Amino acid sequence: MTKKNKLKWKRSLMVMTAITGLGFSTFYPGLSIPTAAVEQPDQPLPAEESVSIVQLEVPNDQAKDKLLELGIDLTHRIEQHDGIYEVDAVVTPTEIAMLKTFGINVKDTLITENEWNTRAAERQSAVQLQASLAASEDTLKVLRADHFTNQSATFLYLEVKSSAGATASTALKATWTEDGVEKSATLSRFVDYGEYIYHYLMVPVTAIPTSVKIDSNLGGTATSSVTEWLGKEPKHPKTDYVTDFVDHYMAPNELYERAEKLAKEFPKLVEIIDMPNKTNGYRRLAQATIGGTTNLAVVVSSKAWGHEGGNDVSVEFQNPGKNNSPLKVTVDGKKILVDLATDSSGKVTSTAAQVVSALNTNASQLVTATTYRGNAGTGVVAPITAKLTDGLKAPADVSRDPFTVKAIRIGKHRDGSKPGVLGYAQEHAREWVTPLVTIETAERLLRNYAHDSETRKLVDNLDIFLVPSVNPDGANYSFNDYNMQRRNMTNHCGPTASDPGNRNAWGVDLNRNHSVGSLFDGYIGASASCTSDTYAGPAENSEPEARNLVWLADKNPNIKFAMNIHSYGGYFMWSPGAYDSKRVTLPRPTAGQEAFYWAASDLMLNDIQDHRGTVILPSRTGPIPDVLYSAAGNSADYLWYEKGIYAWNFEVGADLWNKDTKRWQAVGFQPAFAEGHEEAMEFSNGLIGLIKVAYNSSKDHQPPSSKATPGNGKYTGPVEVKIETSEPATVYYTLDGSRPTFQSKKIQLSGTREFEETLKIDKTTTINYFAVDAAGNIEKNYNPLGNGKNYNSVTLTIK
């Protein structure tokens, strides 16, 4: 928002306040405008409001611009038809009322807070089941170990049941000897209508093994002889490619425990990278707002984190029972006693501001105190007792300490010699499906390696980095405290916005904290307000979580491709990701680079579709500003512009078509797990599609070719010259007869979502040019840094 628009908006809200008699925070409680401590009308403290995901009907472009200006927490889903926008947003009842004044109305309520709580309870039930099943070594029962031969080949078929098979993290591996060579393969898990039936395997063999050994990743083992099946082929899938390794939403500790187990099980293919920048931790100061109205409330915060002693602090305001008694603060261990001042009749006279001053002077070893949100604090406080609390609801096994974010590194050669691929998830805490995509992908790569040649090809020839949760602190808060938490948990607000009533409004949007196209550079789509859901932070890369991603890219320059996994809405996007107030974007990719983005996306989108037919719409595919909105300081832009990494953004959770209502239906950040599971499966397909793109690129050693049309010749009047390439490739050219180099002009797109530009030649001109493809192959092996002349050249003579 421009400075002019911000001032205009604030004035309009001030007018609204004057007309209605309501305070500013009534209309927009999420925005903090620092003010000096002044006398203000005494009002009851605002009650905490529930939030819902709703579909807003935005009547026109002016209303849409207003919605963006207001800083409402928008999801990643926007639909336009007949000039009207349908926008999903996370809002409170007060915000809904405020939006109505701008003609923006709620069309549909998608998910309520009660439904989010149901999702959390569903996840916890699954966690408890998994814990009980995996508490000890599982028992394996071999139901069938058969071989059979049909008209095509000889097959080994297994059915094995694990006592812990009800959880998808239980993996079984079969090992046998075939012509003197040991072979192995991972079994698939078969579940019917929610009931675990067994694990199974069917693979072709060149020789019939006499026996097979089954090992579980939980420690169980079993051995069985192999017998002949009587020619009747079992009615099971005929593929030996194993999928489906997730069965509930997973919190950060579960994600990384799974990663560590994989590293232990596949030590030759996996290592775990500890990121150097620890997060702030799932922790808060213990606090209390003491007093029921704004002018007499005192906000007390512990110096120590809640779990490190802050939660033991208590504060008591008492009438000493004496006339003309002075204000006095006594500290006894973790108990703070405030004897309030009285007058000659024994009536309490201490104001909130006076109590704050006394606490900061006499109890500073334990707490800090402020008046409520900058209020002058002239109200006289009343006797009351309060116990400070950090308010965190996670069980004790969720660590409050700073968290070490980890990357799963998969590959036969993990020394930087192979091209790298990066997949990272959950920058936004509330996006519960996204980490499952990375874990499912890791499991598939490792458990199919032994018997699937395509998987082995990828793992042998690439260096694959997967970060399941960039934002573990926020994720823990989303699972346990506030489902709609988007940001991390670091509070950068000052005293006027740091009372516990704002506890769900603190944190930095990690996908707005990067150094390219940022808020600090004048780009829009991020906020400077510390209580906004798109808060960019106090500075670029202020957050350890953002610095971890930068570190990973710096440390591993072999990374050439990346996928930032988000939800929801079913988008497939790439850079540029931000524009300024005049809608001037970051530099667009060249025409050749854009063509590569589209061609590679086609492969990945087809892989996504293969799972259950989900089609990512063309209108939701392309550069971020073309299909969604500006996102200043996003991480993909950093990877593309600073590191030259082809970087995409998934938005998992495509809308589902409701045949009854004949409408597209949004799925939300935390759909019922049955839907979340399907999203994880299909977008794991897509992530492996990206890995295939990286493999194909690594094997591309064929230089591109290019041709100017029309070419050499004499022409009357101006000529439009088009330079076509044999594959997606960037064309460098000169028009002054000089050698083309990497500093020369490049063929760009002719316009947003248009084709490559043509060169308008209106006088006799020599065009010198060459092409470079995405793999770095240069046409004719021309060296732009040398003195060679094996570039293309055409001369157009204009009469």
Side-chain angles (χ1 to χ4, degrees):
M1 196 190 312
T2 64
K3 183 176 181 181
K4 179 180 179 182
N5 283 339
K6 286 179 181 176
L7 293 174
K8 180 180 178 182
W9 175 50
K10 291 177 187 176
R11 284 197 300 271
S12 69
L13 285 178
M14 290 174 187
V15 170
M16 188 183 302
T17 299
I19 293 172
T20 63
L22 297 175
F24 180 88
S25 63
T26 303
F27 281 94
Y28 196 54
L31 181 65
S32 294
I33 298 179
T35 57
V38 296
E39 182 69 38
Q40 298 170 359
D42 198 20
Q43 299 176 3
L45 297 181
E48 183 174 345
E49 293 190 279
S50 63
V51 292
S52 301
I53 298 182
V54 302
Q55 189 173 93
L56 300 174
E57 188 168 79
V58 185
N60 50 47
D61 286 331
Q62 291 77 16
K64 182 197 74 170
D65 293 342
K66 179 58 66 175
L67 184 67
L68 295 174
E69 288 178 12
L70 293 175
I72 295 297
D73 183 5
L74 303 180
T75 74
H76 301 141
R77 180 181 180 274
I78 297 177
E79 187 75 24
Q80 182 184 19
H81 60 86
D82 302 324
I84 297 173
Y85 295 90
E86 291 181 357
V87 182
D88 291 2
V90 182
V91 290
T92 65
T94 297
E95 287 173 324
I96 291 171
M98 183 265 291
L99 290 171
K100 286 183 179 179
T101 66
F102 298 108
I104 301 171
N105 295 301
V106 173
K107 182 177 181 180
D108 194 10
T109 298
L110 304 176
I111 301 177
T112 66
E113 191 165 359
N114 285 337
E115 288 173 302
W116 300 330
N117 291 332
T118 299
R119 302 286 186 266
E122 178 186 64
R123 189 196 83 83
Q124 189 59 34
S125 176
V127 170
Q128 291 170 349
L129 172 63
Q130 182 167 334
S132 64
L133 291 173
S136 59
E137 182 178 295
D138 60 338
T139 302
L140 304 184
K141 182 184 295 184
V142 180
L143 306 179
R144 177 165 282 114
D146 295 332
H147 69 85
F148 65 91
T149 301
N150 63 12
Q151 65 271 33
S152 303
T154 298
F155 294 85
L156 171 66
Y157 177 75
L158 305 174
E159 288 179 10
V160 184
K161 199 159 192 172
S162 164
S163 59
T167 171
S169 62
T170 302
L172 306 185
K173 182 177 72 172
T175 306
W176 67 93
T177 300
E178 198 175 310
D179 285 330
V181 177
E182 184 175 275
K183 298 289 184 72
S184 64
T186 301
L187 282 69
S188 294
R189 180 169 164 269
F190 178 38
V191 176
D192 183 56
Y193 208 67
E195 181 183 353
Y196 167 65
I197 308 300
Y198 48 65
H199 283 72
Y200 68 92
L201 171 71
M202 186 168 70
V203 292
V205 293
T206 56
I208 300 170
T210 57
S211 64
V212 60
K213 182 183 178 185
I214 314 297
D215 292 296
S216 166
N217 62 331
L218 298 179
T221 186
T223 301
S224 174
S225 58
V226 178
T227 58
E228 184 176 6
W229 177 249
L230 300 176
K232 183 178 180 181
E233 186 174 347
K235 295 180 180 180
H236 295 293
K238 296 183 179 181
T239 177
D240 57 352
Y241 186 82
V242 190
T243 65
D244 196 358
F245 296 98
V246 294
D247 57 11
H248 68 282
Y249 290 124
M250 300 173 70
N253 61 318
E254 297 174 86
L255 295 168
Y256 289 114
E257 284 173 8
R258 179 79 73 90
E260 295 288 356
K261 287 180 180 178
L262 289 173
K264 186 176 181 180
E265 187 175 353
F266 300 94
K268 294 182 179 180
L269 299 177
V270 184
E271 64 184 81
I272 303 301
I273 299 174
D274 289 345
M275 303 284 201
N277 302 290
K278 289 192 174 186
T279 69
N280 189 52
Y282 172 75
R283 57 185 182 178
R284 288 272 169 83
L285 300 177
Q287 294 184 299
T289 299
I290 308 173
T293 63
T294 58
N295 207 24
L296 57 78
V298 174
V299 179
V300 182
S301 302
S302 64
K303 288 285 186 73
W305 297 110
H307 69 289
E308 294 179 343
N311 289 335
D312 300 325
V313 176
S314 65
V315 180
E316 181 180 357
F317 299 170
Q318 72 171 10
N319 185 330
K322 301 176 184 178
N323 299 340
N324 298 314
S325 181
L327 176 61
K328 179 183 177 182
V329 174
T330 304
V331 177
D332 181 11
K334 295 292 182 69
K335 182 178 180 180
I336 301 172
L337 179 63
V338 180
D339 286 320
L340 302 172
T342 59
D343 61 14
S344 58
S345 64
K347 183 179 179 181
V348 171
T349 60
S350 296
T351 66
Q354 291 169 340
V355 171
V356 164
S357 177
L359 285 169
N360 286 332
T361 300
N362 299 292
S364 60
Q365 69 271 38
L366 288 182
V367 298
T368 60
T370 66
T371 57
Y372 182 77
R373 298 188 182 181
N375 196 284
T378 56
V380 176
V381 300
I384 191 172
T385 300
K387 191 173 188 303
L388 273 58
T389 175
D390 61 13
L392 297 177
K393 301 174 184 175
D397 63 350
V398 175
S399 173
R400 270 63 172 169
D401 295 329
F403 198 103
T404 299
V405 180
K406 301 173 186 289
I408 309 170
R409 189 176 189 177
I410 298 173
K412 186 176 181 180
H413 306 281
R414 303 181 303 280
D415 55 6
S417 63
K418 299 294 183 181
V421 188
L422 168 63
Y424 59 106
Q426 208 170 35
E427 281 185 320
H428 292 155
R430 63 194 179 193
E431 298 168 8
W432 291 3
V433 176
T434 61
L436 304 184
V437 176
T438 61
I439 287 296
E440 175 69 20
T441 298
E443 293 269 8
R444 290 186 188 184
L445 291 171
L446 296 168
R447 300 203 181 282
N448 288 294
Y449 178 84
H451 62 273
D452 180 70
S453 60
E454 288 299 308
T455 300
R456 189 160 52 252
K457 179 175 68 178
L458 300 177
V459 174
D460 285 352
N461 291 281
L462 295 171
D463 200 356
I464 301 163
F465 301 82
L466 300 173
V467 184
S469 180
V470 172
N471 183 10
D473 297 343
N476 280 324
Y477 196 73
S478 177
F479 278 122
N480 296 287
D481 299 272
Y482 174 57
N483 297 61
M484 282 297 102
Q485 180 74 9
R486 171 183 169 104
R487 296 156 285 165
N488 69 3
M489 284 184 63
T490 305
N491 177 16
H492 289 288
C493 291
T496 59
S498 290
D499 60 89
N502 270 333
R503 68 183 182 276
N504 292 337
W506 297 324
V508 175
D509 183 341
L510 300 176
N511 205 31
R512 301 293 187 273
N513 189 233
H514 285 273
S515 59
V516 173
S518 74
L519 171 76
F520 307 97
D521 296 327
Y523 289 83
I524 67 173
S527 174
S529 168
C530 68
T531 56
S532 167
D533 254 328
T534 56
Y535 178 45
E540 294 174 346
N541 292 124
S542 62
E543 303 311 292
E545 298 92 339
R547 295 197 299 274
N548 278 333
L549 189 65
V550 172
W551 175 86
L552 191 63
D554 285 345
K555 192 76 171 177
N556 300 282
N558 60 321
I559 295 176
K560 303 300 181 186
F561 298 89
M563 181 64 71
N564 186 5
I565 309 167
H566 283 269
S567 75
Y568 64 100
Y571 290 83
F572 203 83
M573 304 176 290
W574 54 86
S575 294
Y579 49 76
D580 62 18
S581 59
K582 296 181 180 179
R583 212 188 184 282
V584 177
T585 71
L586 288 164
R588 294 271 181 174
T590 67
Q593 291 166 337
E594 186 85 350
F596 180 80
Y597 268 120
W598 279 102
S601 298
D602 185 68
L603 187 152
M604 289 180 263
L605 295 179
N606 273 286
D607 284 350
I608 291 170
Q609 185 182 20
D610 284 346
H611 177 69
R612 58 168 176 171
T614 294
V615 174
I616 304 302
L617 303 177
S619 62
R620 297 188 178 186
T621 304
I624 296 169
D626 301 353
V627 301
L628 193 55
Y629 45 63
S630 179
N634 72 83
S635 57
D637 276 348
Y638 171 78
L639 295 176
W640 170 244
Y641 292 104
E642 287 294 320
K643 296 298 179 182
I645 295 169
Y646 277 92
W648 281 263
N649 296 264
F650 277 155
E651 292 284 351
V652 313
D655 294 356
L656 302 176
W657 179 253
N658 188 314
K659 294 180 180 178
D660 297 327
T661 62
K662 293 182 168 48
R663 288 181 56 193
W664 289 104
Q665 186 171 309
V667 296
F669 295 113
Q670 300 145 16
F673 185 74
E675 168 59 25
H677 172 270
E678 294 303 289
E679 294 173 17
M681 294 301 106
E682 62 193 2
F683 278 87
S684 178
N685 278 9
L687 186 52
I688 289 177
L690 172 65
I691 295 170
K692 290 190 290 187
V693 166
Y695 173 80
N696 293 339
S697 178
S698 72
K699 298 302 179 183
D700 179 8
H701 304 297
Q702 180 65 39
S705 60
S706 60
K707 180 181 179 181
T709 306
N712 292 305
K714 297 180 179 180
Y715 303 93
T716 301
V719 177
E720 297 283 344
V721 178
K722 182 177 183 180
I723 301 179
E724 298 177 294
T725 58
S726 59
E727 60 176 295
T730 295
V731 175
Y732 296 81
Y733 70 93
T734 63
L735 301 177
D736 60 1
S738 62
R739 287 180 75 252
T741 68
F742 288 132
Q743 282 69 50
S744 301
K745 288 185 176 180
K746 294 168 275 193
I747 296 295
Q748 305 288 349
L749 295 178
S750 57
T752 301
R753 294 178 77 83
E754 296 183 18
F755 300 106
E756 67 272 18
E757 65 181 338
T758 58
L759 302 178
K760 185 177 181 180
I761 306 300
D762 54 10
K763 63 180 180 180
T764 298
T765 302
T766 296
I767 307 174
N768 295 328
Y769 63 97
F770 68 94
V772 183
D773 66 17
N777 300 307
I778 303 177
E779 186 174 10
K780 299 179 180 178
N781 295 316
Y782 168 63
N783 182 5
L785 305 178
N787 298 313
K789 296 185 178 180
N790 56 327
Y791 48 79
N792 299 311
S793 183
V794 296
T795 299
L796 294 89
T797 302
I798 307 298
K799 296 180 181 179

